[in-house]
């Protein structure tokens, strides 16, 4: 199935953050939303619900649990326990509400930078303290640093927020590393909360490994929080879920206030259930993203040869280092001011990332090329 980026004039009529958050002459390439049409069966589900005025509070969602279980088994060989799937508003709310069941203000939560910027914000919201065990960096190849993680665990970390797979670096963690983390976490009494929202977007050369599938230790101390919102572009519909795979962890999930489930949206739950059936559409998206990640490389190599970029193994976010262009403390600001292209600033993802920008390539090749032309124009002006 062909899934292609929509034309710019159509995208500019959208009201989402990406398309309404910038001046009209800016080309927006930050926020992780996709510039594709939502899969037709999802649109039909939503239209039918609206036409039936079926817009009340959350009802029975056994079909969502079943569809995710079927998807997880087919894609990753992961057998999920449908009784241990708990709905929540979005991944952020799921991570925060589950965290509240085990942390007090002042407790330590581990992250591995560069990492999804809101993980840092979630820790602030909980009034907890972030402990960073930065990713090991070899060129632009990032891997989890087990020694740094163990050192952090020894400091008395309560929860480890794992980004599996990793945004913004596009790294897919190995089964061995995940199993080693589970063993360490069990030994030091740390909970691992694995944010797996980018899991369905792993390219063929790698294999996504759900954290809870790696070992008994992982199931004893682990939680997965995920959603269909990244892979099927449903973030505005507000539905995500928490999965546990052991009695103690499901007891924690059940100790969350009942409102956590009811704050998810009914439309979101039905769209999510349908999304997990739309596997052909997802394959189409992956083909387009695969071509786009290579196109970004070609474009950079010809137009911006001093930029560093490693083709990501998942998702649609290009992590680009611009230090050789000497654009000052915040290159993304120069690109916005001088090139009228909006990218996510690297410094939001952790220290030592200020010379990076993150570019969203879930769009058409025309828009990618235009975005890179605007970067080139900004660089040549400054
Ligand atoms: C790793 C990661 N987790 C969570 C989110 C946001 O999820 P939600 O909108 O469900 O909170 C994103 C969005 O880009 C993400 O990259």
């Amino acid at each position: 199935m062909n899934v292609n980026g929509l034309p710019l004039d159509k995208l500019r009529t959208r009201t989402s953050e990406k398309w309404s958050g910038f001046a009209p002459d800016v080309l927006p390439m930050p926020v992780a939303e996709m510039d594709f049409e939502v899969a037709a069966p999802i649109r039909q589900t939503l239209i039918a619900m609206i036409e039936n005025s079926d817009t009340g509070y959350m009802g029975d969602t056994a079909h969502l649990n079943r569809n995710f279980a079927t998807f997880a088994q087919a894609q990753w060989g992961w057998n999920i326990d449908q009784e241990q799937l708990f709905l929540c508003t979005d991944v952020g709310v799921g991570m925060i509400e589950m965290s509240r069941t085990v942390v007090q203000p002042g407790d330590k939560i581990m992250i591995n930078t560069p990492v999804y910027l809101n993980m840092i914000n979630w820790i602030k919201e909980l009034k907890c303290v972030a402990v960073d065990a930065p990713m090991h960096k070899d060129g632009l190849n990032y891997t989890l640093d087990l020694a740094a993680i163990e050192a952090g665990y020894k400091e008395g970390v309560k929860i480890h927020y794992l980004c599996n797979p990793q945004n913004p670096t596009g790294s897919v963690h190995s089964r061995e590393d995940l199993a080693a983390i589970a063993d360490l976490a069990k030994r030091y009494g740390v909970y691992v909360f694995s944010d797996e929202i980018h899991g369905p977007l792993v390219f063929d050369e790698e294999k996504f490994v759900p954290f809870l599938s790696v070992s008994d230790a992982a199931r004893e101390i682990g939680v997965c929080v995920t959603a269909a919102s990244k892979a099927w572009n449903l973030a505005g519909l507000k539905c995500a879920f928490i999965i546990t795979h052991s009695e103690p962890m499901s007891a924690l999930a059940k100790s969350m206030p009942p409102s956590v489930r009811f704050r998810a949206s009914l439309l979101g739950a039905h769209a999510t259930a349908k999304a997990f059936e739309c596997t052909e559409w997802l394959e189409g998206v992956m083909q387009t993203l695969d071509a786009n990640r290579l196109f970004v490389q070609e474009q950079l190599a010809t137009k911006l040869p001093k930029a560093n970029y490693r083709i990501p193994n998942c998702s649609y976010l290009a992590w680009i280092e611009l230090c050789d262009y000497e654009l000052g403390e915040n290159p993304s600001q120069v690109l916005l001011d001088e090139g009228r292209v909006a990218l996510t600033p690297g410094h939001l993802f952790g220290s030592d990332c200020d010379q990076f920008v993150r570019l969203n390539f879930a769009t058409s090749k025309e828009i990618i090329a235009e975005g890179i032309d605007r970067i080139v124009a900004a660089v040549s002006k400054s």
Side-chain angles (χ1 to χ4, degrees), residues 1 7 29 32-33 44 57 70 92 104 158 194 198 212 240 248 257 269 273 278 287 296 326 328 348 365:
M1 183 182 289
M29 306 187 85
E33 296 175 16
Q44 281 147 16
Y57 287 110
T70 305
Q104 299 292 329
K158 270 268 172 68
S194 185
H198 293 276
L212 295 180
C278 293
Q287 277 166 18
V296 170
E326 299 181 0
L348 297 178
K365 285 193 172 151

Side-chain angles (χ1 to χ4, degrees), residues 85-356:
L85 192 152
F86 307 91
L87 282 195
C88 55
T89 320
D90 55 29
V91 168
V93 170
M95 294 287 275
I96 286 181
E97 291 297 340
M98 267 309 279
S99 299
R100 284 195 216 283
T101 68
V102 291
V103 292
Q104 299 292 329
D107 282 344
K108 293 176 180 155
I109 300 181
M110 177 177 282
I111 47 170
N112 310 112
T113 62
V115 77
Y116 173 54
L117 52 104
N118 276 323
M119 285 198 173
I120 300 162
N121 293 329
W122 299 336
I123 296 172
K124 283 188 192 146
E125 193 173 332
L126 288 161
K127 300 190 170 45
C128 286
V129 178
V131 171
D132 190 11
M135 305 279 286
H136 174 75
K137 185 167 176 270
D138 176 8
L140 287 189
N141 227 339
Y142 292 85
T143 47
L144 290 163
D145 184 337
L146 294 175
I149 289 171
E150 181 166 12
Y153 284 4
K154 278 188 189 157
E155 275 185 43
V157 162
K158 270 268 172 68
I159 307 176
H160 180 176
Y161 284 172
L162 200 60
C163 195
N164 179 33
Q166 193 91 8
N167 165 14
T169 61
S171 346
V172 178
H173 308 313
S174 70
R175 179 175 292 278
E176 293 69 32
D177 281 356
L178 294 174
I181 286 175
D183 288 343
L184 286 172
K186 189 174 167 192
R187 183 166 353 133
Y188 290 99
V190 175
Y191 294 106
V192 177
F193 287 11
S194 185
D195 171 345
E196 304 191 347
I197 197 167
H198 293 276
L201 293 169
V202 170
F203 293 105
D204 282 349
E205 73 274 5
E206 285 284 352
K207 186 140 183 63
F208 169 62
V209 181
F211 182 70
L212 295 180
S213 73
V214 298
S215 64
D216 286 339
R219 289 181 276 277
E220 275 172 50
I221 51 80
V223 173
C224 161
V225 185
T226 192
S229 55
K230 277 309 108 175
W232 286 271
N233 208 33
L234 306 175
L237 291 171
K238 292 295 166 198
C239 179
F241 48 94
I242 296 162
I243 305 171
T244 62
H245 262 186
S246 65
E247 267 312 308
M249 298 313 291
S250 96
L252 287 179
K254 285 176 186 155
S255 75
M256 293 187 300
S259 54
V260 173
R261 173 181 171 83
F262 288 102
R263 285 178 185 144
S265 120
L266 184 68
L267 291 165
H270 285 269
T272 300
K274 187 52 79 180
F276 290 118
E277 291 179 344
C278 293
T279 47
E280 253 187 63
W281 185 88
L282 183 63
E283 277 168 29
V285 164
M286 291 310 288
Q287 277 166 18
T288 300
L289 296 180
D290 185 25
N292 286 2
R293 65 183 176 149
L294 301 175
F295 185 66
V296 170
Q297 188 190 41
E298 277 166 40
Q299 289 282 302
L300 290 173
T302 50
K303 297 177 180 170
L304 213 59
K306 289 194 279 179
N308 290 323
Y309 163 72
R310 179 188 154 273
I311 295 172
N313 299 114
C314 67
S315 209
Y316 43 82
L317 303 164
W319 184 235
I320 303 170
E321 190 182 32
L322 295 173
C323 57
D324 289 346
Y325 288 102
E326 299 181 0
L327 299 174
E329 275 177 18
N330 184 356
S332 70
Q333 192 62 48
V334 177
L335 304 184
L336 181 62
D337 293 343
E338 304 293 336
R340 310 308 286 157
V341 57
L343 304 166
T344 316
H347 68 85
L348 297 178
F349 298 87
S351 48
D352 296 335
C353 300
D354 52 310
Q355 289 305 309
F356 284 83

